[in-house]
Structures are given as structure tokens and as C-alpha cells.
Amino acid sequence: MAYRIAVLVSGTGSLLQALLDAQSAGELQAQVAVVGSDTATAQGLARAERAGVPTFVHSYRTGDDRAAWDEALTALVAAHDVDLVVLAGFMKLVGPAFLARFGGRTINTHPALLPSFPGMHGPRDALAHGVKITGTTVFEVDAGVDTGRILAQHAVPVLAGDTVDTLHERIKVAERALLVHTVNDLASLHPRAAQGDS
Ligand code: GAR
């Protein structure tokens, strides 16, 4: 039985597309079972729909009860009986209820070599600091901001004349391959951990 993953996105969804492309090429040892977003207009949702993957939207508005939002997100993902949750450009922090259910099996990507440049602006901060090498990190999500156990990293050079956008795009090329690789590693290490977890 296929190793099932949920992918959560907020924006463009090019990391999600890399997973979908690898799946259709037979190069992903997993099935994208559901794609969720906090943003109804996220391009990632359209990518999932084109691939025939079920989707959900779970918006958060300023002033909403954060704990209730987190519990509802947990239930939406849990309904799909997944082994792994992949945050792929998901710009919300998951909370205690989510981590109680999916802690240890939720991964995130970050566009810098953690622990350097955590937060929302990894490429901008790396450029501002003048580093010559940055990169991407896939890590296990914990209660902190980009603090979880590091699973994989790939270095990317900063080139003369780089802007935040050109640097981030070069990092994203590396991120897509690293994410597919890491999901495959986890699928082979922990096949079907979530049986009956619906
Ligand atoms: C990626 O660079 C990912 O690492 C980053 O958002 C981008 C998503 O790209 N995530 C974070 O910064 C999380 N804090 P995409 O929407 O094209 O997949």
C-alpha cells in the first residue's frame, strides 16, 4: 500500500509540482493523497486539481481563534490517513494540536542552510549578510520557527549580481530535488506508519 502524504501550500506550489511530477514519472515512493492551503487563491491548489488530487482550503483571518484553527487543520489532514505531512511553502505555523497528532512526521523546507537565516526571508537575509554559499534545508517540524531536526541540506552559491528573486529561484531548483529525495528516504524508512489512522 502506498505511503500517503499530505502537502500544505500557501503560494506558487512549485515544490508541490515537483512531487506531483515525480509521482507521475514513477519516481516518488509515495502518493500525494491531499493538498491543503490557507489561501483560496494559491496556485498550488490548481496544480493539485489538475493532477486529480483532493484539496481543501482552511483560511485563517486575523482575530480567529488560533487553537481552533489548528485543531480543524489537524482534523482536515487526519481525514486523509496520511503517513507524512509536507509543508511546501506553507506560510502558517502549525500548533500544538497538529504537532500532537503529526509531530515526528511533518517536514518543512527552508530556503537557507539552517540554523542560518530562519524565518520568512531566508534568501533576502542571506543576500544582506553577504554570504557566498547558502542553500536549502529539509527539516522535521517542531514547536519552534525553523528549529526542528535537520534531515537534509543542499548548498547553493550566491552569484555576483544576484537579487532576492534570482537567488531564491536558484535555491528552489535545489529544493525541489532535495524534497523529492527526502520524501523517498522517509517512505523507505517508515512504510505505511499511519495504518488505521483516519
Ligand atoms: C520555498 O522556497 C520554500 O522553502 C519556502 O517557500 C518557497 C515555496 O515555493 N518556504 C518558506 O519560506 C517557509 N518558511 P513554492 O510555493 O514555489 O513551492
Side-chain angles (χ1 to χ4, degrees):
M1 198 178 193
Y3 184 80
R4 292 167 61 82
I5 64 175
V7 184
L8 302 184
V9 299
S10 294
T12 312
S14 70
L15 295 173
L16 164 67
Q17 190 66 56
L19 293 167
L20 293 170
D21 289 349
Q23 183 179 319
S24 62
E27 288 163 5
L28 190 71
Q29 315 309 316
Q31 177 192 347
V32 181
V34 63
V35 171
S37 182
D38 60 322
T39 307
T41 54
Q43 277 184 53
L45 290 171
R47 294 177 189 272
E49 280 154 21
R50 279 199 295 277
V53 174
T55 62
F56 67 80
V57 177
H58 183 48
S59 307
Y60 178 84
R61 284 170 211 82
T62 311
D64 283 356
D65 179 336
R66 190 67 190 227
W69 179 87
D70 187 51
E71 280 162 25
L73 177 68
T74 306
L76 283 163
V77 173
H80 291 270
D81 185 24
V82 296
D83 300 283
L84 181 74
V85 182
V86 178
L87 308 186
F90 187 59
M91 295 305 182
K92 287 275 180 302
L93 294 176
V94 297
F98 194 92
L99 290 173
R101 182 73 181 247
F102 294 111
R105 50 193 181 112
T106 299
I107 63 173
N108 197 0
T109 64
H110 184 70
L113 292 176
L114 292 172
S116 293
F117 312 122
M120 300 288 278
H121 302 288
R124 184 197 73 184
D125 296 346
L127 208 54
H129 210 88
V131 297
K132 303 303 177 203
I133 301 283
T134 183
T136 176
T137 303
V138 181
F139 63 99
E140 203 175 280
V141 174
D142 67 9
V145 176
D146 301 333
T147 51
R149 187 167 69 98
I150 290 170
L151 300 175
Q153 290 186 306
H154 197 284
V156 173
V158 180
L159 302 181
D162 259 342
T163 62
V164 173
D165 287 346
T166 60
L167 177 58
H168 196 177
E169 202 42 58
R170 187 175 315 110
I171 291 170
K172 280 168 66 164
V173 172
E175 285 194 290
R176 293 174 195 132
L178 192 68
L179 182 59
V180 169
H181 195 86
T182 307
V183 168
N184 282 340
D185 278 354
L186 292 172
S188 61
L189 280 171
H190 309 289
R192 260 336 256 149
Q195 262 169 6
D197 187 19
S198 56

